[in-house]
Structure formats: C-alpha cells, structure tokens
Amino acid sequence: MGDTFRSTAETDVQYVKGVGEARAALLHKAGIETVEDLLTYIPRRYLDRSTIMKISQVSEGEDVTVVGRIVKIKKIPRPHQRLIITIYDKTGILDGVWFNQVDYFQKVFKEDQEVAFSGKIGFYRGWQIVHPDFDIIEESKEQLHTGQIIPLYPSGQELRSRGLSSRGFRRIIYNALDKYGDAVSENLPEMLLNLYRLRERPEAIRKIHFPEKMSDIHESLRRLKYEELFYLEILMALRHFQHRSPVKGITMKTSGETIRKVLNKVTYELTGAQRRVLREIYDDLRSGHPMNRLLQGDVGSGKTVVALISALIAIENSYQVALMAPTEILAEQHYLNIRELLSGTGIEPRILTGSLKSQTKKELHSALKEGDLSLVIGTHALVQEAVEFRKLGLVIIDEQHRFGVLQRGELIAKGWNPHVLVMTATPIPRTMAMTLYGDLDTSVIDEMPPGRKTVITAWRTEKKLPEVYKFIREKIKAGEQAYIVYPLVEESEKMDLKAATESFEFLRNHIFKDFNLALLHGRMKSSDKETAMQQFKKGEIQILVSTSVIEVGVDVPQSTIMLIEHAERFGLSQLHQLRGRVGRGSKKSYCILITPEDINETARQRMKMIEKTTDGFVIAEEDLRLRGSGEFFGTRQHGLPDLKYSDLVEDRKIIETARQDAFAIIEKDPQLRLPENQKIRDYFKIKYQEKYQLIQIS
C-alpha cells in the first residue's frame, strides 16, 4: 500500500497526459502538485441532466439551470454597455446578460458552444439571467462531458485561460485515472469500512469524478469525508497521547503565599467556574506529565486571573513563565494588568516585543538566560533564536488561533517539557475544538464574575449617526467614556488606517470638539500606545478612537459605550470580542453597530444575531455557519491540513464518529504497530508525518 500510494503522492501532476509544464505551473499555484492532489480535487457541484429545466418551462423569479447552444453574441456599447449571450435548447431562447467585464466574457464564449446557465430568471423582452453562473459543455469522443451527471470543477480565470475549465479538468482527471487509477489504494482498516458500509477508496475517487447516479456522489463523498476527518483525528490523538504518555514532566506544588496577596487585589470573589478550572490546571501541574490544556472563557470571564495564578504556582516552584500574545497591544495590556496585580509581591514582570530597543532586548535576553527574570510577557519576539530560558516551566499562549502551530512548538522547545496553557476569549464551536484543538484537554470558564452587566446592543444604519453621536455626548457629559472602533484588515491596511485617522480628526474637530479624544492603532510606538491607554484608564481621555486592536485585553470599567463603524466588515465573534470591552463597571453599557443601508443578506443576519444574544458560544456556532471554517478565525495558519471535503458545521456527526474511532485506536496502539493498523501507519507516515512534520511515529 505504501509504495502504490507513493506513486500517486509523489508523481508530479505535469506527467499526466494533457497537463505539461505550463499547465502544471498553474496547477501548482492552485495547490495541485501531485497526481494524488489532482485525483482528490473534487467537483464544486454537478449538473444532473435529469433536473435541468427546459427554457419553455421556466418562470420569473425561479432559480434554475438551463442548457443550450449559443446562437448569438451581442455587445451593446456604452453608455449602457452590456454583453448578451443568447442560447437555444430546442424549446425556447434565453439571454445571459453581463454588465461587468464585458470584454473578458466576450472572449470566453463562442457561437455554437453548448453552455449551462444557472441563476434567477428575469424577464426583459424575453427570458434572461443576469450574471449567470455558467459552464461550457462541449461534446467529446470520450463522452466525458455529455453524460447524465456532469461534474463542474473550481477553476479561476488563470486556469481557464490555459484550457482548464471544468471541461479541461474532466479530461485530465480522466487521463490520470486511466494511467494511475490502479495505484489508488485503500487507506482505512477493513473493520471501519464494514462498520460504516463505506465505499473502498479507489471506487469512491472514480465515482466522485464520474458518477453514474446521484447516490454515487453522496456515498463517495461520505467515504472521503470520513477518511479526511479520521486522519485529522489520528493526528490529534497521537499528539494527545504522546503528551500524556511516558514523557516525564515538571512536578509542581504550591504554598499559595503570593497567590493570596494577588487574590486580595481582585475586586471580586473567584467564581465557581474559575475555581474548578484552577483545580484542573493544578492537577495537571502536579501530575508529573506535561500539561497541554486549552482554557476557553467568554469575554470578561476572568481568564487572566486564572492564568496569573497558574503562573504564580510555577514561579513559587522556582520556574520561569512565558506568556505569548499575538499583538503588541494585547501583550502590553496583559503586562499592565499583571504588573498592577503583582505590585508589592516582589515579582516584577517584563515585556518583550519586536519594537523594543536593541539594548533593552539584550538585557532581557540576559535576564532570562541567567534565570533573573521569572515572568516575561511578549509577542512572537519570544520565539526568536536569541531568547533562551534558564528554567522554563510554564508556557501560556493567548489567542492561540492567531499563531501557527510551529510558533507554539518553538516556544515550548525553549524548555524541558514545560507545561502549556493555551487561552482564547473567542468561544470555539465544539466541532472546531475537536479538530483545531483536538490534542488539548479543555477547560471552560462558563460563569461571569458578579456585577457584570448585560450590554445593550443596537444595530443602526449610517443615516442614524447624528442621533448616535448625540447619545454619546450625553453619556460623556454624565462622566462616562466611549470607544469608537474602525475596521482594519491586512489587505487594505493603509487605506483603512487613513480612513480611521481622518475620521478621528473629523470627530475631534467637529463632533466631539469639547471632549478629549485619543487615537490608538497598531502602528503607533509602544510608548504612545501605553500613554493613550493609561490616559483613557485614568479618565483623562473621554473617547478612544481605535482600530480593532482593542478587540481583546483592554479593561476600563468606566467605559460604557462601544460604537463600531462598518460593523458589517467584522465577523460575529470579533464583534462579540469588541462588545466585551464595555459592561465591566456598575453602569448600563451599550454596543452600537453602524452599517451602510445596502449591506447584503449575510451581513444583515450577522447584525440581527449579535443584537439578540450575548452568548459567545451561540455566536461562535452561528459565525462558523455563516462564514465557514476557513474564515472563522480570519486565519489559515493553524498548521493543520486544509479540509478538502468536510464542513465543520454540516459534518458534526462524522467528526464525532471519526474522533471516537481515532482516539480508541491510538489509545490501544499509540505507535500504530498492530497488524490491523498497518494501513493507517503507512498512509499517515507518507501523508502527514513527512509533509507536515507535526508528530513522529517510530
């Protein structure tokens, strides 16, 4: 099995008939490097000729797919430029109409081509679909493109320009199966195939591309989803059990003297949830095996206090602690909060970020190496080669989803099997926790400290801004404070930053000219950011105008208003994080979401959802459903294989089943040495161990 799989996994796609060097270069850019990648590049949808409507049967407002031959191509010149492609299917004619990219689409279509148009039927001097989804379907000797069910593949403009439309993909996949189909071998144990009545892999791959009936697609996809999720969970199970296995860890005990001093400074009694989580963490710290725990807690639930107490246990046992945060702003907020809580204890935390002066960095590096510094808080600067610890005992990583798995590993490697606590204020849907964090034990703080107020959330359009500004003025006159947040995304960072800066000047000089305002964004110097935050905390600044850098970590109890401009550009979970910056004091607090009038339906759903619930886990599930797993965290750098077939929302049951199966197998056979697990071992070593180097099996 290993050798036959290698032949598809290691053979470059350029050697498939019909590909060649030029097409291969484009396929490589699209992530299709090997024959295995090509064979597992599945269709985005299918045309089932039995469900295609005849043009004579369509009705206005219906979503339909029609297939016909192009009988006319007409370009209407400016000022009302458009392209009209007229098709005929022997029962009637229909126009596909394009108002954008007219010149491009004029080159795509040719008279007498057979095409499929999909979209909503309209009527203007005849039936039409405006900007239809389309596929070009041409006759072929091999009858690849004219069968009952036609697969349609994802292909961007660049691939189509090289002849790799759906038709081109069907041809090269047919050629790949013809030459390499026999090398596709089974990678699941027979026991699992029989238990779930799964198709064998060779048949599933053939039928996903060239189905004879619609049930072929369903059954092939069910098998491929299970396989994909099973191997992801095998990876998680190997990590999980190898962390807990014979690996010796640091055993810690606690006297609690410093902890008592810190708890006296916390303004509330620890909640039952915080105490429960601390017991779970302490059980790990004294177990003699490395802790590997995920700490989830909604905004304001008190994770920082739990993390600090965990850190103090390590420090009291003469170990060093590193807390890594994804941004300088968050690292600085942790530093300021923790420094305040530790004042008078004799423990002096330090902060290490990329923007520090070289001399300061050298001093910190020396203090860590010599063991003179017990608690360091920083950004990814902590994983630099120059950073060495004398006795690293606990690694705390905040908002892990913003780091890659490798960065987590690099920091852990700076100690000898240190304990690891991963924190997130972004509630993680259960399905995502089972995949993204499946190797970690999980603790959840599901209770808020006493006195936390429910934040009133209101969605308003831009035309209501004058009324909103008036409301904010009244609240500030009453001694309250406000955040005004603007979006900032990497793709348009300069443009967004300019917009935020210009808006700040407008607000300061016109709308709120009798109040003190400050601007906060990620490109400011650390000292300027700290000054702005301290002035806001002290009440010297009434309004903090900011980009989304204040999403997490900022804690100013007297701030009661969060105004979010262009809220449609934020994900639900991010909006929830921002809302969590207010409602931390005794006064009623408000989160006001501002959007343009003409936002799309998905954005409207997001605004309505955030208005009606403050439950972070409900919001996270909805965010995952609306945005999809790839975009949920706004990042793909979690270091795990991308999911080709599976959906974390729709495939919850398959995920749970695959997880149970994988963990049961690895618990019984952690090195996959039993004969019945040989296929799993072979496939895993080739597909995961060699490519991702995430875990080793000997």
Side-chain angles (χ1 to χ4, degrees), residues 432-450:
M432 183 161 276
M434 284 191 290
T435 50
L436 199 58
Y437 298 106
D439 57 328
L440 304 178
D441 295 313
T442 302
S443 292
V444 180
I445 303 178
D446 51 8
E447 186 181 350
M448 285 292 181

Side-chain angles (χ1 to χ4, degrees), residues 457-470:
T457 306
W459 167 35
R460 300 288 183 266
T461 57
E462 288 171 336
K463 68 181 182 183
K464 295 285 187 181
L465 265 174
E467 295 173 31
V468 172
Y469 288 151
K470 182 182 176 186

Side-chain angles (χ1 to χ4, degrees), residues 244-276:
R244 295 172 62 88
S245 69
V247 176
K248 276 273 186 187
I250 298 161
T251 304
M252 295 183 181
K253 297 174 183 176
T254 180
S255 65
E257 188 56 43
T258 313
I259 293 171
R260 277 190 288 275
K261 287 182 182 177
V262 168
L263 288 177
N264 287 336
K265 293 190 176 187
V266 178
T267 55
Y268 62 86
E269 282 275 323
L270 291 188
T271 63
Q274 284 174 306
R275 293 179 186 278
R276 182 190 70 244

